Amino acid sequence: MDDLFHHVAEFIARHHAWAGVILGLVTLLESLVLIGAFIPATALMVMAGGLIAAGVLDPLQVIFWCVAGAVVGDAISYELGRGLGPKTLRHAAFREHRRKIARTRLFTRRYGAASIFIGRFFGPLRAFVPLVTGLLGMRRRTFQLANTVSAVVWVLVILAPGYFAAKGLAELEALSEADLITVLIATAVAVSLAGFAAWRILKARMARQEAALAMLSARVEQ
C-alpha cells in the first residue's frame, strides 16, 4: 500500500491537470467493498489538501472529482448488495469478513440512512455500509440522497487537515524562532488533549458495539 501511495502521489505532483481525475478514481475504488481497504485514498486526499493550500492544485476540480468518485463507488456497492441479495454474504469471498459484516448490519439497522454518513468516517465499516444497505433493501432515493450529501461533507473534512496544515506552516515561517517554539508546544498540547478525548470516546463506543455484536452473534447461533 505504501508503494501504491508513493507512486500515485508522485504522479499527482508531476501531472497537476490529472490530479482531480486520479483522486476521483482512487476515492471510487476505496468505496468498493473488499478492495477498498487496499486503496490509500484518505492519505492522498490529505496530501491534496496541502497542495491546494500551496496553490498547486485547483480546489474545485479536486472536490468535484473526489465527490463524484465517492458517490459512484458507494452506489456500485449499494447496487451490488441490492441485486445479489443476502445470499451473497455466504460467498467464500466474505468469509473472513463475517464479523465485520455482522457489525455493519447491526449498525445499519440501528441508524438507518445516518449510517451512511457515519460510515464514511469509520474505516472498518466504510466499504461495507453501502453493500449492507442494499442487502437490507433501503430505498434507492433515500440511499442516494444520503450518499451524495455525505460524500460532499466527507471530502471537505478529509481535505481540511492537509489544507490547514500547509496554511499553518506558511504562517509559522513568518514567526520568530521563540514564537515558533511557543506555537509548537501549544499545538502539541492541544493535539494531545484532543487525541486523548477522541480515544476515550471511541473506546467507549467500540465497547458498546462489541457488546451488541456479541448479543447478535448469540442470537444467530441459536
Side-chain angles (χ1 to χ4, degrees):
M1 186 180 296
D2 289 339
D3 290 339
L4 177 61
F5 170 80
H6 289 304
H7 287 311
V8 177
E10 184 178 358
F11 182 88
I12 290 174
R14 291 184 178 181
H15 305 85
H16 303 158
W18 287 94
V21 177
I22 297 300
L23 288 169
L25 179 61
V26 169
T27 55
L28 186 156
L29 293 175
E30 191 192 38
S31 300
L32 297 178
V33 66
L34 296 182
I35 70 172
F38 304 99
I39 308 299
T42 301
L44 289 169
M45 289 173 66
V46 172
M47 180 203 72
L51 294 177
I52 289 173
V56 176
L57 300 181
D58 179 10
L60 294 180
Q61 183 189 54
V62 171
I63 292 171
F64 171 81
W65 284 107
C66 286
V67 170
V71 169
V72 173
D74 273 18
I76 291 174
S77 293
Y78 167 82
E79 294 296 341
L80 180 65
R82 191 177 179 89
L84 296 179
K87 293 182 179 180
T88 308
L89 298 180
R90 301 192 185 97
H91 194 277
F94 294 97
R95 187 170 301 163
E96 297 181 0
H97 305 278
R98 290 178 62 185
R99 187 175 181 85
K100 193 177 295 183
I101 291 173
R103 181 185 300 173
T104 307
R105 292 181 68 177
L106 176 65
F107 177 76
T108 305
R109 288 184 182 279
R110 176 178 299 176
Y111 296 106
S115 64
I116 299 168
F117 282 83
I118 302 171
R120 290 274 188 197
F121 299 91
F122 196 51
L125 302 181
R126 183 184 306 162
F128 289 94
V129 169
L131 176 74
V132 172
T133 55
L135 291 173
L136 296 178
M138 179 181 288
R139 292 179 59 188
R140 187 174 281 106
R141 180 183 301 177
T142 301
F143 171 81
Q144 292 296 0
L145 178 61
N147 180 26
T148 302
V149 176
S150 65
V152 174
V153 175
W154 178 73
V155 168
L156 295 177
V157 169
I158 299 302
L159 289 174
Y163 178 86
F164 287 114
K167 286 291 186 182
L169 288 174
E171 293 293 334
L172 287 174
E173 290 179 357
L175 298 175
S176 64
E177 183 176 352
D179 290 334
L180 177 59
I181 294 175
T182 301
V183 171
L184 289 177
I185 293 175
T187 301
V189 172
V191 170
S192 299
L193 291 175
F196 178 75
W199 175 76
R200 291 294 299 272
I201 293 172
L202 182 59
K203 183 179 180 181
R205 182 178 299 174
M206 289 296 294
R208 291 195 298 268
Q209 290 181 347
E210 288 292 338
L213 180 60
M215 293 178 59
L216 180 63
S217 299
R219 292 178 183 175
V220 172
E221 291 176 359
Q222 291 175 356

